[in-house]
Amino acid sequence: MNRRSLIKAAGKAGAGALAVTALGGAMARAASTEPRAASAKPRIHVGSDPGIGRWSHAKSTSHEAGWTDQFQGMCTDGTYWYAVSNEGDNQRLHKLTLDFSSTVASLSAPRGSDHIGAPTFDPQRRQIYVPIEGPEPELIWKVSTGLSTVGIVPLAGRTPGSPAPQRWKCPWIALNPSDGLVYSSVFGDPERNDLDKYVDRVWAYDRDTGLLKKEIRLPSKVYAVQGGTFGNGGRNLYLASDYEEAGNERKHVYAYDFSAARDGSAVRSWGKVAIPDADDEVECVVFAHLTWRNARDTHITVGILDDGVFSGSTDNVYFRHLAVPSPGLI
């Protein structure tokens, strides 16, 4: 079931987001790509403008395989991809080779998961975190890189047992390497009339206790947030939206300055970039350095799910890979 159907049927926000936090990212290799290790960590700049308005589309790729059925996002540890599939009663986390040609392993989602969303990689602990939606509370599913469950952490408010502000909504999760907290938000459905009507803040939780540690306000409302990821050092947050803005009827990735984000404070916006040819469902934004044989290097990838396939067919996933003018400022 896709996000739109899930919302209409259950009144709950699904998740399809991606969050890649490993510096340097992974070098994907498809038919026209060539892997290459990052030579060095980019220089970290405090409060740096990533120049999102000058990001440009450099490459498109597509895939159709078992892991693409109801694809909800992915992350990387720099060696493998970890992709989430929310297909019916076969919800799984897949470990894939960098060229997406082989599934190394897969792991079923915990029993009772209504919806599993976009994962994030914790480079400090070498673990993958997957958000789970269902009856409250929402959960963090912790998985080793060898694909075994390490633990399940319920999200909460400021005190143990209190409800998390997102309630049953957890459409994406992203680890911020600067403070070791995991961030998320509601989905933001403009057709609703409750706390999920729009996204105007994000929340940060302790990855071990699930307790709420920060509430960060955004400078303006955003809708249909499907994915999020932090850039170098966690100083910038990027959100991917499946909402077509009235001004240009395009979907966008938004950038926010988190270099000085404190509990209860508001952050500034660095702007946005339109996602090219995003006619289907935007599911994630990925921070990963990709090297191509026939295109410029890219550092941001947006995942798009085409689930409008015939019964019995496999969903298609499309990637829009974006080149950035100054990778060290991401």
Side-chain angles (χ1 to χ4, degrees), residues 108 181 269:
S108 293
L181 300 176
S269 170

Side-chain angles (χ1 to χ4, degrees), residues 53-137:
R54 293 179 288 123
W55 293 4
S56 59
H57 178 224
K59 184 74 175 179
S60 292
T61 58
S62 63
H63 302 274
E64 182 178 352
W67 62 268
T68 64
D69 275 340
Q70 286 305 301
F71 168 80
Q72 299 297 296
M74 64 186 183
C75 64
T76 181
D77 62 1
T79 305
Y80 297 97
W81 296 107
Y82 300 89
V84 164
S85 170
N86 195 57
E87 174 58 23
D89 57 0
N90 190 31
Q91 300 163 302
R92 306 186 74 85
L93 176 65
H94 299 270
K95 182 177 183 177
L96 310 170
T97 55
L98 294 182
D99 61 359
F100 292 104
S101 65
S102 300
T103 299
V104 177
S106 67
L107 179 66
S108 293
R111 185 172 300 177
S113 303
D114 280 3
H115 192 286
I116 56 175
T120 187
F121 178 67
D122 182 343
Q124 299 163 353
R125 299 184 178 180
R126 303 290 300 173
Q127 293 177 358
I128 302 99
Y129 302 150
V130 183
I132 297 179
E133 294 179 331
E136 293 183 53

Side-chain angles (χ1 to χ4, degrees), residues 213-283:
K213 295 299 182 181
K214 294 180 182 179
E215 179 180 279
I216 309 298
R217 290 179 286 114
L218 303 180
S220 60
K221 298 174 183 177
V222 190
Y223 299 95
V225 177
Q226 297 273 60
T229 187
F230 284 94
N232 291 329
R235 69 176 175 274
N236 291 327
L237 173 68
Y238 305 95
L239 298 180
S241 167
D242 189 49
Y243 180 74
E244 292 183 358
E245 291 189 5
N248 59 4
E249 298 183 345
R250 303 282 294 277
K251 301 173 184 180
H252 298 80
V253 171
Y254 303 85
Y256 302 95
D257 180 6
F258 265 63
S259 61
R262 297 179 178 86
D263 185 24
S265 68
V267 295
R268 61 176 170 175
S269 170
W270 290 124
K272 62 189 178 183
V273 63
I275 304 168
D277 301 318
D279 296 329
D280 295 302
E281 191 170 1
V282 173
E283 295 289 355

